[in-house]
């Protein structure tokens, strides 16, 4: 066995501490010996009290990212909010998206006292009235600190709040380690938080108390007089060390042993420390790790700076780690002189400091401060206090320990080993164009993310390997609603420059609709008349696609069709590309192979619309034909149509009726209606020449199609009859997904699909593409993909979407790009756009063994806050005031008309209900279409909202009314119906009786 066999890796971390909101800043400030407490900056209060340490960004919160309504965010304890953002950052640091990986994530965290609840929320009577105590407690009680996090982020492992006072977060780490090693979860989140909900928190420092009278913590120095309270928070993400080979990410360090105990009754009082209890927990953690005391070269001590606390801790350390010799050396450190005592977060912040020290091979100093006394006697010859940062020397074993001791006697100790450096992966030549993806919760966050990444590429990330950057973006970030993606060139230098340009473009782009989960995709398949030169060239980069082309070409050959092998090399003027008997099987082969290719990459179309022979390809994919039968049918169809008399086809810029008028008196047919003002006419060559002359005389620009026959015209009647006879021998099945009919423009029914006469008529009849496009758009696809180069088939979709006035038209994507584009690059870029629309595209990105430290998520800087009520806490107000506040008066109504007025006036009722909803959700002004559940409403909130509405307006709106009328406008109309049916005279009589009885 090795020491890592039962080890747990620290794979991600995040923090907020005084003076630092990220690990890099935290490390650099610790290495410099900086003190981030107010006293070190000379800050003072005017009332003789001392200033406590405070973190940045505790009133601001990205509510939208975590699915919270603004009003809910405001009533939620900032500790719940800060911990949510820190977990997000730590998971990104770990390069983990557990929603896709399917990991069971456990949560083990603890928090500080619920000051915000009592000082800010409960005294605000409007908040209490709008939300109810149950909803308020969900956002404030420490009971729900872990479970609310699991709910918001979809974690399904054990989820529990851990509370042991100052040792909370290191005990949480111990619990997380045990949960991982017993396979209760695959990933564990552990940590703690304490936040004082005021910009400049204050405390008293009485002589002889636990808080230093001068506002400085001087741990392990002679004359130290106490600690300094601070806000702070830290999170570590843990995985079993043995699992790291199976996923993205790397270890920063390994936890190889941990233990927790309690001092019991062997001490002076409940809050006094016990050297015996502390020594036992140190010894047990060492035994679990399999190490000896001499193997430990650094101990991150609890180190509060109190006289008794430091003495007891040093005695326990000397008893266990003092080897009786001066070697090997062992440094003693503590983070509290730098940032103060962060209470529930103290242990995890000490662990994070130790992990960073091991990772960067650095012994971090104990901060020196003006007024420090001499270093205390540490109790063992091998112990020393580092006062400047130094490289971890050979004299100091590179293993560390972390202690955290709680008020109340719960002690925790953790043993940490360094992680081996992960070698950089060897550069590989991209087989296909790499793809960069970005996503965020809002359009603005997406722009900010792009701008941050562009700046990082020009600065700290200038030397970062591009595969690592792209892999981290793909594997290590959640895929959120607002997205952008792009395929890059295969050349590394060109790819980097294209990425930079694209990021700058994305940083300036306008708002776009959010991605749709499992976005419905419609695919369009072309008929004859499109360019086929170079089609299939990307088969060289995708062997499975090449194999599909070969398989289908072989099926065509077995059916007596042309030999299509090597078609991707045919020249543009090759006569075979004008031969119907060749082109139709080729369109079938290319179209079906691309459909299979899309499916392999995660895109399965919901709707198919094929033009002419493209409908047969669509039907083959939908299961109407078997592959061999479909190949035979397409070969037969092409042969029959190629034997038809010579003809031509002309696209004219007219609607169907005008096109028929244009062709009046000529033996011409309407072959296709492609759009509102695009109709295709066909006939013999002389007839089409006459049609061209008529167009020229009317000033119309007509375009002759590249065909040798007038398809879908009277010239095809003989071919249609023979094709129907052939299909009578072929088994046909109902389609398994939606195929849109060329003949009707509506969905192909099972009866039509299995009727040979339908397919015979489809060969002869008008292709009603315009109607088919309308049907396609009625299905509200998120994206429409044309399997061709150029826009010939997809432009009618753009035109129809504009004519229909669609507010959010689908994304329209040409799978093979514009004419002459590199097919492989165009294909990957199309897939990138499909991913941005919401499709579960698989880019087959290699796992990242060494994630790149990309810029953090750009959280919205929105303040969500309920202002404190002065004197809300008992110790903050005189006794007389406190007594008065214990008996609150009746709750105030929201700022809306009184019930008697609103009952008589429907507009007043609407105003009152709108005000109640607005108070319940907050944020931007609500409108009639805003939905209770889309806004984030819960069953608890529903009950409270109905209570407020009914009490205010004297109505009897039921829960079922809200469920059936969940839009604000619909809810108001329902309330007006109930108000109209109310007997106000009887209601007033009952009220008079009640008042008389009182």
């Amino acid at each position: 066995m090795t020491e890592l066999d039962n080890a747990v890796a620290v794979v991600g971390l995040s923090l907020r501490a005084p003076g630092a909101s990220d690990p890099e800043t935290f490390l650099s400030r610790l290495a410099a010996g900086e003190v981030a407490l107010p006293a070190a900056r000379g800050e003072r209060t005017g009332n003789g009290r001392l200033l406590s340490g405070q973190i940045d960004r505790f009133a601001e919160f990205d509510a939208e990212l975590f699915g919270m309504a603004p009003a809910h965010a405001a009533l939620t304890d900032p500790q719940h909010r800060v911990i949510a953002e820190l977990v997000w950052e730590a998971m990104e640091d770990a390069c983990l998206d557990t929603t896709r990986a399917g990991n069971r994530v456990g949560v083990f965290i603890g928090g500080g006292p619920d000051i915000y609840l009592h000082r800010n929320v409960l005294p605000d009577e409007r908040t209490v009235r709008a939300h109810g105590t149950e909803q308020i407690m969900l956002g404030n009680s420490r009971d729900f600190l872990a479970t609310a996090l699991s709910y918001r982020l979809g974690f399904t492992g054990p989820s529990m709040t851990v509370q042991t006072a100052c040792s909370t977060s290191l005990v949480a780490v111990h619990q997380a380690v045990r949960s991982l090693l017993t396979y209760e979860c695959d990933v564990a989140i552990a940590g703690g938080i304490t936040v004082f909900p005021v910009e400049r928190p204050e405390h008293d420092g009485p002589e002889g108390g636990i808080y230093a009278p001068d506002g400085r913590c001087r741990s392990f120095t002679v004359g130290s007089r106490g600690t300094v309270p601070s806000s702070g928070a830290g999170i570590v993400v843990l995985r079993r060390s043995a699992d790291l080979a199976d996923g993205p990410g790397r270890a920063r360090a390994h936890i190889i042993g941990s233990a927790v105990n309690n001092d019991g009754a062997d001490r002076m009082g409940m809050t006094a420390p016990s050297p015996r209890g502390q020594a036992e927990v140190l010894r047990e953690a060492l035994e679990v790790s399999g190490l000896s005391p001499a193997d430990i070269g650094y101990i991150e001590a609890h180190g509060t700076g109190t006289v008794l606390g430091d003495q007891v801790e040093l005695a326990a350390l000397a008893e266990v780690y003092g080897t009786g010799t001066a070697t090997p050396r062992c440094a003693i450190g503590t983070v509290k002189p730098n940032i103060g005592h962060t209470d529930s977060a103290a242990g995890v912040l000490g662990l994070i400091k130790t992990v960073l020290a091991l990772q960067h091979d650095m012994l971090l100093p104990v901060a020196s401060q003006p007024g420090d006394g001499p270093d205390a006697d540490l109790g063992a010859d091998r112990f020393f206090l580092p006062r400047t940062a130094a490289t971890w020397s050979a004299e100091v074993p590179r293993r560390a320990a972390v202690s955290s001791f709680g008020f109340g006697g719960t002690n925790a100790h953790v043993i940490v080993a360094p992680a081996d450096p992960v070698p950089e992966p060897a550069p590989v030549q991209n087989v296909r164009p790499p793809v960069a993806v970005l996503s965020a919760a809002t359009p603005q966050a997406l722009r900010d993310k792009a701008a941050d990444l562009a700046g990082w590429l020009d600065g700290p990330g200038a030397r970062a390997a591009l595969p690592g950057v792209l892999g981290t973006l793909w594997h290590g970030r959640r895929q959120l609603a607002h997205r952008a993606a792009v395929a890059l060139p295969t050349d590394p230098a060109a790819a980097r420059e294209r990425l930079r340009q694209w990021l700058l473009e994305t940083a300036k782009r306008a708002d776009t609709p959010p991605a749709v989960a499992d976005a419905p995709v419609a695919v369009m398949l072309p008929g004859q008349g499109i360019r086929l030169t170079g089609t299939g060239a990307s088969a060289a980069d995708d062997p499975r696609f090449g194999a599909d082309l070969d398989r289908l070409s072989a099926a065509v050959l077995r059916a007596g069709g042309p030999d299509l092998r090597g078609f991707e090399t045919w020249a543009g003027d090759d006569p075979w590309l004008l031969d119907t008997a060749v082109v139709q099987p080729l369109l079938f082969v290319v179209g079906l192979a691309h459909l299979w290719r899309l499916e392999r990459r995660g895109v399965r179309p919901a709707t198919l619309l094929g033009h002419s022979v493209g409908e047969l390809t669509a039907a083959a994919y939908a299961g109407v034909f078997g592959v061999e039968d479909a190949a035979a049918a397409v070969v037969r169809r092409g042969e029959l149509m190629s034997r038809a008399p010579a003809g031509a086809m002309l696209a004219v810029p007219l609607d169907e009726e005008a096109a028929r008028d244009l062709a009046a008196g000529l033996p011409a047919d309407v072959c296709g209606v492609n759009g509102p003002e695009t109709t295709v006419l066909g006939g013999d060559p002389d007839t089409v020449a006459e049609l061209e002359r008529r167009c020229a005389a009317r000033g119309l620009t007509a375009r002759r199609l590249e065909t040798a026959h007038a398809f879908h015209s009277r010239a095809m009647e003989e071919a249609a009859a023979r094709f129907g006879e052939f299909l009578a021998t072929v088994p046909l099945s109902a389609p398994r997904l939606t195929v849109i009919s060329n003949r009707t423009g509506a969905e192909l029914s099972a009866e039509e699909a299995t009727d040979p006469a339908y397919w015979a008529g489809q060969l002869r009849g008008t292709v009603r593409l315009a109607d088919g496009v309308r049907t396609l758009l009625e299905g509200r696809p998120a994206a429409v993909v044309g399997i061709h180069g150029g826009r010939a088939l997809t432009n009618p979709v753009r035109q129809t979407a504009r004519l229909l006035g669609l507010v959010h038209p689908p994304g329209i994507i040409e799978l093979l790009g514009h004419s002459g584009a590199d097919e492989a690059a165009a294909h990957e870029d199309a897939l990138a756009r499909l991913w941005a629309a919401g499709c579960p595209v698989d880019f087959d990105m290699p796992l990242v063994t060494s994630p790149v430290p990309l810029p953090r998520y750009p959280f919205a800087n929105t303040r969500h806050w309920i202002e404190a009520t002065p004197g809300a806490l008992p110790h903050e107000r005189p006794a007389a005031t406190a007594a008065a506040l214990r008996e609150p008066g009746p709750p105030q109504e929201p700022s809306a008309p009184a019930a008697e007025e609103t009952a008589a006036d429907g507009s007043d009722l609407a105003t009152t209900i709108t005000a109640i909803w607005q108070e319940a959700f907050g944020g931007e002004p609500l409108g009639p279409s805003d939905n209770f559940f889309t806004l984030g409403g819960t069953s608890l909130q529903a009950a409270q909202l109905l209570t407020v509405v009914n009490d205010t307006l004297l109505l009897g709106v039921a829960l079922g009314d809200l469920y059936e009328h969940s839009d604000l406008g619909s809810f108001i109309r329902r309330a007006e119906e109930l108000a109209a049916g109310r007997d106000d005279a009887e209601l007033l009589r009952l009220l008079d009786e009640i008042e008389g009885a009182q």
Side-chain angles (χ1 to χ4, degrees):
M1 288 181 62
T2 70
E3 71 177 2
L4 299 185
D5 285 344
N6 288 306
V8 165
V10 179
V11 296
L13 48 82
S14 62
L15 61 90
R16 286 186 201 164
S21 294
D22 61 82
E24 295 75 25
T25 303
F26 188 57
L27 176 64
S28 67
R29 300 201 69 170
L30 293 179
E34 294 183 26
V35 177
L37 296 173
R41 299 191 296 270
E43 295 182 19
R44 298 286 186 272
T45 66
N47 57 12
R49 305 187 77 209
L50 298 167
L51 286 172
S52 309
Q54 185 57 289
I55 60 173
D56 292 333
R57 191 184 163 82
F58 62 88
E60 295 77 24
F61 179 60
D62 196 333
E64 193 157 358
L65 175 64
F66 294 96
M68 296 176 68
H72 293 175
L75 67 81
T76 298
D77 191 315
Q79 297 181 116
H80 287 238
R81 296 186 264 146
V82 170
I83 209 76
E85 291 188 345
L86 285 182
V87 168
W88 189 277
E89 289 182 345
M91 293 296 279
E92 289 197 341
D93 183 60
C95 197
L96 284 176
D97 176 7
T98 55
T99 57
R100 284 180 290 156
N103 304 116
R104 292 188 70 213
V105 181
V107 179
F108 306 85
I109 51 177
D114 48 8
I115 300 170
Y116 186 74
L117 171 68
H118 296 286
R119 179 184 279 155
N120 299 58
V121 179
L122 291 179
D124 190 307
E125 293 174 351
R126 291 181 63 176
T127 296
V128 174
R129 185 170 186 274
H131 299 280
T133 55
E134 292 89 352
Q135 187 77 25
I136 288 170
M137 294 309 293
L138 284 175
N140 286 270
S141 170
R142 284 182 282 189
D143 285 349
F144 306 109
L145 185 61
T147 52
L149 188 65
S150 293
Y151 168 71
R152 291 188 186 112
L153 294 178
F155 298 150
T156 58
S159 186
M160 60 190 72
T161 301
V162 179
Q163 290 302 147
T164 61
C166 321
S167 61
T168 289
S169 54
L170 203 61
V171 172
V173 169
H174 170 78
Q175 297 280 38
V177 168
R178 290 292 174 265
S179 183
L180 283 165
L181 294 180
T182 56
Y183 288 80
E184 289 181 330
C185 58
D186 306 304
V187 176
I189 290 166
I193 183 167
T194 295
V195 173
F196 305 129
V198 60
E199 197 70 36
R200 286 165 58 88
E202 300 174 3
H203 68 279
D204 294 314
E207 195 67 44
I210 63 172
Y211 297 137
D214 62 352
R216 291 178 181 269
C217 179
R218 307 176 190 274
S219 307
F220 305 131
T221 61
V222 175
S224 177
R225 299 160 69 191
T227 194
V228 178
S230 285
S231 294
I235 289 292
V236 291
V237 180
L238 309 175
R239 294 178 62 198
R240 287 178 291 272
S241 299
D243 290 350
L244 291 186
D246 299 329
R250 48 81 175 94
R252 287 179 178 265
H254 299 277
I255 295 173
I256 58 175
S258 67
V260 168
N261 74 356
N262 191 273
D263 291 333
D266 184 22
R267 45 189 164 146
M268 292 182 292
M270 181 177 170
T271 60
S274 163
R276 182 189 59 78
Q278 291 184 14
E280 286 180 354
V281 81
L282 307 183
R283 196 173 285 114
E284 183 180 347
L286 265 177
E287 290 174 357
V288 171
S289 72
L291 301 182
S292 70
D295 293 322
I296 303 300
Y298 175 77
I299 299 168
E300 174 66 19
H302 190 57
T304 59
T306 61
V307 176
L308 179 61
D310 283 5
Q311 288 177 351
V312 169
E313 182 170 13
L314 287 172
L317 289 173
E319 179 181 338
V320 177
Y321 286 104
T323 60
T325 64
T327 57
R329 307 293 305 285
C330 181
I332 306 293
T334 175
V335 75
K336 290 180 179 63
N338 304 88
I339 63 171
H341 192 344
T342 54
D343 192 48
S344 297
V348 75
L349 288 173
L351 175 63
I352 289 172
K353 171 190 171 182
T354 305
V355 167
L356 293 171
L358 285 167
Q359 183 182 2
H360 294 275
D361 196 23
M362 186 184 299
L363 279 175
L364 296 170
V366 176
S368 299
Q369 305 178 68
D372 279 355
D375 291 351
D377 181 358
L378 302 179
D381 291 341
R382 65 184 297 248
F383 292 164
F384 69 99
L385 286 183
R387 288 298 185 178
T388 58
T391 302
W392 215 296
S393 71
E395 297 177 354
V396 181
R398 205 151 167 261
R399 300 287 186 275
V402 183
S403 292
S404 191
F405 306 133
F407 227 47
T410 295
N411 308 308
H413 195 61
V414 170
I415 310 296
V416 188
D420 292 330
V422 177
E424 290 293 330
V428 295
Q429 181 63 37
N430 290 312
V431 176
R432 58 181 176 225
V435 174
V437 302
L438 285 182
S439 71
T442 65
Q444 185 58 50
L446 184 66
R447 287 190 286 268
D448 292 343
K449 199 170 185 179
D452 291 348
L453 188 53
W456 179 86
L457 281 173
D458 286 339
R463 299 174 63 86
L466 195 59
V469 173
L470 302 183
T472 302
L473 288 171
W474 176 254
H475 291 290
R477 300 295 182 265
R478 283 206 178 195
Q479 298 185 355
L480 302 174
H482 291 272
R483 301 180 177 185
V486 66
L488 305 173
T490 53
D491 176 71
R496 194 177 194 89
E497 181 56 29
R498 175 68 185 112
L499 174 61
R500 181 180 171 278
Q501 292 174 355
W502 172 75
L503 288 169
L504 294 174
E505 293 163 5
T506 303
K508 297 176 182 177
R509 80 176 194 178
D511 290 1
T512 54
V516 179
D518 295 323
V521 174
V523 170
M524 301 184 74
L525 296 143
Q528 285 184 247
I530 67 157
R531 290 182 60 85
L532 288 168
T533 309
T535 300
S538 61
D541 301 323
D542 187 341
R544 295 185 67 184
F545 175 56
D548 286 340
L549 291 174
D550 290 344
R551 172 192 170 192
L552 292 169
S553 296
V556 166
L557 200 57
R558 283 193 295 272
D563 186 350
L564 301 176
R565 288 174 296 183
F567 71 87
E568 62 274 10
T569 64
W570 294 351
D573 58 355
D574 194 309
W576 271 37
L577 293 177
L578 292 175
D579 186 341
T580 299
V582 174
V583 172
Q584 291 201 14
L586 180 56
L587 287 168
F588 163 75
V589 166
V590 171
L592 192 53
H594 272 299
L595 284 167
W596 289 343
R597 189 185 196 186
L598 282 173
E599 186 175 329
R600 275 195 303 274
R601 300 292 295 276
V603 181
R604 182 168 176 79
T607 304
L608 297 165
L609 173 56
H611 186 279
S612 188
V613 71
E615 186 177 347
L616 271 76
T617 307
Y621 182 75
V624 175
F625 301 94
V627 172
E628 295 289 333
D629 290 332
V634 170
V635 167
R636 184 65 174 157
R637 186 180 191 269
E639 287 176 349
L640 291 169
M641 295 176 78
S642 69
R643 297 174 192 165
M649 301 175 76
L650 190 71
V652 296
L654 299 170
D655 62 25
E656 183 176 0
E657 183 178 353
R660 290 187 186 279
D661 288 343
L662 176 73
L666 295 175
D669 294 300
V670 175
C671 304
V673 182
N674 291 346
E677 293 187 353
T678 305
T679 303
V680 177
L681 298 172
D684 61 70
D686 291 340
T687 297
V688 171
E690 175 58 26
L691 288 170
E692 287 177 315
R693 284 191 289 273
R694 292 184 181 185
C695 285
R698 299 187 186 188
L700 299 174
T701 301
R703 180 174 62 88
R704 189 179 284 230
L705 304 186
E706 294 183 9
T707 65
H709 306 278
F711 303 123
H712 301 280
S713 73
R714 68 192 71 187
M716 295 293 135
E717 288 179 354
E718 178 67 20
R722 297 289 176 267
F723 189 52
E725 294 170 1
F726 171 80
L727 285 183
T729 67
V730 174
L732 302 173
S733 302
R736 293 193 297 264
L737 63 154
T738 300
V739 176
I740 297 175
S741 164
N742 280 183
R743 293 186 66 183
T744 67
E747 181 178 351
L748 180 69
S749 68
E751 292 75 17
E752 289 170 328
T754 54
D755 183 1
Y758 168 82
W759 296 104
Q762 191 264 4
L763 185 156
R764 160 66 178 89
T766 301
V767 175
R768 301 205 166 274
L769 182 67
D771 292 338
V773 167
R774 284 179 174 268
T775 300
L776 181 150
L777 291 173
E778 286 169 3
R780 302 180 63 126
V784 177
V785 180
I787 298 185
H788 58 89
R791 295 186 166 194
L793 191 58
T794 48
N795 268 340
V797 182
R798 292 182 174 87
Q799 295 162 3
T800 304
R802 283 196 296 269
L803 286 172
L804 294 175
L806 298 183
V807 178
H808 297 301
I812 301 171
I813 302 166
E814 289 76 33
L815 188 65
L816 307 183
H818 58 80
S819 296
D822 177 84
E823 183 177 294
H827 187 271
E828 289 303 306
D829 202 55
L831 288 172
R833 293 179 61 192
L834 285 167
W835 177 85
C839 294
V841 177
D842 177 13
F843 289 111
D844 194 24
M845 201 85 69
L847 291 177
V848 184
T849 55
S850 185
V852 177
L854 301 177
R856 295 179 296 162
Y857 186 88
F859 296 125
N861 200 34
T862 307
R863 181 179 170 87
H864 295 283
W865 202 253
I866 296 171
E867 295 301 331
T869 300
L873 297 181
H875 72 271
E876 296 176 334
R877 56 183 182 258
T881 305
L885 287 175
R886 288 191 194 103
E887 305 231 1
Q892 297 179 355
E893 304 296 336
S895 52
E900 291 82 0
E901 299 171 339
T902 58
D905 188 332
S907 63
D908 286 346
L909 182 144
T911 301
T912 301
I913 289 177
T914 301
I916 292 169
W917 276 54
Q918 190 72 54
E919 201 161 52
F921 292 105
E924 297 295 322
L926 300 180
S929 62
D930 283 308
N931 183 277
F932 177 85
F933 299 105
T934 303
L935 289 168
T938 64
S939 56
L940 279 178
Q941 192 172 9
Q944 184 65 23
L945 184 140
L946 292 179
T947 297
V948 176
V949 168
N950 289 334
D951 288 352
T952 303
L953 298 172
L954 303 179
L955 293 174
V957 185
L959 193 61
D961 292 321
L962 177 58
Y963 287 167
E964 293 178 20
H965 306 276
S966 54
D967 289 350
L968 174 57
S970 177
F971 183 83
I972 289 171
R973 289 190 292 275
R974 176 58 180 155
E976 288 172 342
E977 290 173 4
L978 293 172
R982 181 179 58 193
D983 188 339
D984 287 345
E986 178 63 16
L987 182 61
L988 290 172
R989 186 186 66 76
L990 290 173
L991 289 173
D992 288 340
E993 285 185 9
I994 292 170
E995 290 176 1
Q998 294 175 342

